[in-house]
Amino acid sequence: MATDDSAVALVAVRDEPLSVDEALDAVRHPACGGVALFVGLVRDHDHGDAVTGLEYSAHPSALATMQEVCEHVLASSDAVRVAAVHRTGTLAIGDLAVVVAAAAPHRGQAFDACRAVIDTLKARTPIWKHQSLGDGSTEWVGLP
């Protein structure tokens, strides 16, 4: 169980492998019977094109944006604790790209908060994906 009383238990942008257990442990709380996790993995295709790998780049404001998103979800939901960690750097197929966790008194509240965190992070956080495609070309995804 996390010992920090902060409702935003963990927010990070890292150029190293992510841990589902770290996010789960960060949101554990004795008042919470439900924990929802979202794990985003690098897949081998995108819009019908083969993907062989990718690289994530983050703007210096990405961490602050993630913190704001987590605080907003906590203020507008029944979640007690949330965590969000996003990977940067070069990733291979199957690597963890993002891990989000939310804990709440009940499962529905945890699911709702977890979905709100990941959906809002994807929409607002300045993290961009540079994909390597099977035909040798590359493409940027998520650029403003």
Side-chain angles (χ1 to χ4, degrees):
M1 177 179 295
T3 58
D4 186 330
D5 288 335
S6 173
V8 177
L10 172 66
V11 175
V13 177
R14 296 187 178 146
D15 188 18
E16 59 190 42
L18 305 182
S19 167
V20 172
D21 289 337
E22 178 188 29
L24 176 61
D25 289 343
V27 299
R28 288 182 191 268
H29 189 279
C32 297
V35 174
L37 290 164
F38 173 80
V39 179
L41 306 172
V42 178
R43 64 180 180 265
D44 67 358
H45 67 283
D46 191 22
H47 302 293
D49 293 321
V51 173
T52 59
L54 56 84
E55 184 173 350
Y56 279 105
S57 299
H59 187 273
S61 68
L63 185 62
T65 301
M66 290 173 65
Q67 179 76 27
E68 290 169 10
V69 167
C70 289
E71 289 171 358
H72 173 76
V73 170
L74 283 166
S76 60
S77 74
D78 294 313
V80 173
R81 295 176 75 84
V82 297
V85 185
H86 205 296
R87 178 84 186 270
T88 56
T90 303
L91 285 75
I93 304 304
D95 284 350
L96 278 66
V98 62
V99 178
V100 171
H106 303 284
R107 69 179 174 269
Q109 298 162 328
F111 282 127
D112 291 345
C114 188
R115 183 176 187 115
V117 171
I118 189 58
D119 287 352
T120 310
L121 284 179
K122 295 255 320 159
R124 290 195 44 214
T125 306
I127 295 178
W128 308 287
K129 177 169 49 174
H130 189 213
Q131 298 186 127
S132 298
L133 304 177
D135 65 4
S137 66
T138 64
E139 68 177 356
W140 284 94
V141 179
L143 292 177

